[in-house]
Amino acid sequence: MSEQTEQNQRGVVIVGAGMAGVQTAVALREQGFTGPVTLLGAEPHQPYDRPPLSKAVLLGKAEDSAFDVDFEGLDIRLRLGTEVTGLRAADHELDTEAGPVPYGILVLATGAQPLTLPGTEGVPGVHLLRTLDDAARLRPVLAASPRTVVVGAGWIGAEFATAAREAGCEVTVVEAADRVLAGALPAEATEPMARWYEEAGAGLITGAKVAGVEEGRVLLADGRVLPAGAVVVGIGARPATGWLAGTGVERGADGSVTADAYLRTSLPDVYAVGDCASFPSGRYGTRLLVHHWDNALQGPRTVAANILAGQPDRVYDPVPYFWSEQFGRFVQYAGHHGGADTLILRGDPAGASWSVCWLKGGALVAVLAVGRPRDLAQGRRLIETAVLLDTAKVSDPATPLKSATA
């Protein structure tokens, strides 16, 4: 019996019915896997995409964002409303509230869960925005156009503030750090973005910690009180892996499953992909944890290929990519700027379109593009090839990045 035939006879169980889980199931079928595939989802809803939650679904332009996947036609068994509570690797079984689920090969794709603001549990008017139910609860709130306070000026905070302003809400964004996107980008890249809030009519308070939230108001540590008909918390997310404690699955300090270059975990026959897993990047010489849509789209193809191969041989080492729509601007980022030794600005940050390029040893390692999609597309290819660039050409916004080679 060939290795591929043997793998096809072993059932694959995928925990998590978000983008990473769904794409893993689809990729297995597309690549020729004929064995049983079971997708376990904790939520009762048909599997759905998350980015529209902070845009179309939240603003009532779409009822949901269900994936256009024919699960029945692909012979993918969906078990929704099934929360997994444990893993017994020696028995090749998962524990669920509905009883044990055996697996031949297991894929962990549980995603991430939003961080909550301490002391806000049970306070009326406090919201997170991570699930379809969250968006459903927030939609009528926004429609009523209350004074809204957003805690956190990261990507999700900016996107929610954008939607709230579009809905006609008076919005104030509160950020504990001294600038927006402090945990994601350096000050040179984020300084222009702070102006976007004012231009959109949204208030922005940085360097301010929230001391408490009461019904109808937010209390800041410096004594200020912000009226709030609604409070939305967007202070980051953590891998949803708490249920793996004591199972033998190795996890990092950030809670992420420590996958290897093939996206295997520390347990035999167990893979991990998407927001819940970190992976070693040979390209960047560091371990990456990428909480973005593209990672949940690309990683599953590698997992599926390695499951099909029997003996994993496909390394996962992508150029990370994500985008964000905020305050009328399309922001894209590719790469990883940690470790870069040169930062080059292309264009005027006060204008509608500009980019930031990060180089290391003369080669492009990351690019941030605001309204310059060609810079992003060309920059992503340059990162993949690691070709040396002429910094003078890179700094000239009239010179296409693909023509900036040394």
Side-chain angles (χ1 to χ4, degrees):
M1 183 184 296
S2 70
E3 278 191 326
Q4 182 161 337
T5 300
E6 184 178 349
Q7 293 305 318
N8 273 330
Q9 291 180 344
R10 302 178 68 187
V12 176
V13 174
I14 303 162
V15 183
M19 170 63 85
V22 168
Q23 290 300 322
T24 299
V26 171
L28 281 166
R29 291 301 189 222
E30 288 180 344
Q31 295 181 32
F33 185 80
T34 57
V37 175
T38 301
L39 189 62
L40 304 178
E43 294 183 54
H45 309 289
Q46 278 291 114
Y48 61 88
D49 203 4
R50 294 190 188 278
L53 296 184
S54 61
K55 306 174 187 74
V57 176
L58 188 61
L59 292 172
K61 298 177 181 178
E63 284 303 312
D64 59 36
S65 53
F67 291 114
D68 185 17
V69 174
D70 182 1
F71 293 102
E72 185 176 352
L74 290 173
D75 194 21
I76 296 168
R77 185 186 181 196
L78 279 181
R79 292 187 57 178
L80 304 176
T82 303
E83 186 165 354
V84 179
T85 57
L87 163 61
R88 289 174 286 108
D91 299 325
H92 269 55
E93 278 190 344
L94 293 166
D95 291 321
T96 77
E97 295 171 344
V101 176
Y103 67 85
I105 297 172
L106 177 64
V107 180
L108 306 176
T110 48
Q113 56 195 28
L115 297 175
T116 58
L117 196 62
T120 61
E121 293 81 0
V123 178
V126 178
H127 302 268
L128 297 170
L129 180 54
R130 181 71 184 178
T131 68
L132 187 60
D133 288 338
D134 291 337
R137 282 189 290 266
L138 263 170
R139 188 159 62 184
V141 173
L142 282 192
S145 300
R147 283 187 173 183
T148 303
V149 172
V150 179
V151 182
W155 298 113
I156 189 65
E159 290 186 1
F160 180 81
T162 299
R165 287 298 298 141
E166 187 174 333
C169 300
E170 182 179 326
V171 179
T172 301
V173 180
V174 178
E175 170 58 51
D178 61 358
R179 58 187 178 84
V180 303
L181 291 167
L185 296 169
E188 298 95 324
T190 62
E191 184 180 0
M193 297 177 177
R195 295 193 293 269
W196 299 352
Y197 289 77
E198 182 179 359
E199 292 170 6
L204 174 64
I205 303 174
T206 57
K209 293 186 177 180
V210 174
V213 178
E214 300 173 352
E215 185 172 5
R217 62 182 193 165
V218 174
L219 313 176
L220 301 185
D222 61 10
R224 281 180 286 181
V225 178
L226 305 177
V231 178
V232 177
V233 179
I235 56 175
R238 184 177 178 83
T241 59
W243 66 281
L244 291 169
T247 63
V249 173
E250 181 183 340
R251 295 181 296 158
D254 55 12
S256 65
V257 175
T258 306
D260 68 8
Y262 305 102
L263 297 181
R264 297 176 300 186
T265 73
S266 55
L267 292 180
D269 300 323
V270 182
Y271 292 79
V273 66
D275 288 7
C276 72
S278 66
F279 57 90
S281 171
R283 186 189 311 277
Y284 292 106
T286 190
R287 180 166 285 275
L288 298 180
L289 174 61
V290 181
H291 280 185
H292 293 297
W293 187 89
D294 192 64
N295 179 51
L297 176 66
Q298 303 295 338
R301 297 169 184 167
T302 297
V303 168
N306 286 330
I307 289 173
L308 264 294
Q311 182 61 42
D313 59 2
R314 183 179 295 188
V315 169
Y316 187 60
D317 195 9
V319 174
Y321 166 75
F322 73 88
W323 80 96
S324 176
E325 295 178 79
Q326 50 185 271
F327 306 118
R329 293 166 174 85
F330 187 48
V331 183
Q332 295 172 283
Y333 177 95
H336 175 68
H337 63 270
D341 53 39
T342 304
L343 183 152
I344 299 175
L345 182 66
R346 284 170 59 83
D348 182 2
S353 60
W354 48 278
S355 298
V356 179
C357 294
W358 287 269
L359 281 67
K360 182 178 182 180
L364 190 68
V365 293
V367 58
L368 171 76
V370 178
R372 290 180 68 96
R374 288 184 181 176
D375 276 5
L376 190 288
Q378 294 175 17
R380 195 174 185 180
R381 286 193 289 270
L382 290 172
I383 294 170
E384 291 171 346
T385 58
V387 64
L388 296 182
L389 302 181
D390 182 323
T391 56
K393 293 178 182 178
V394 172
S395 63
D396 178 9
T399 300
L401 269 182
K402 65 181 181 181
S403 302
T405 51

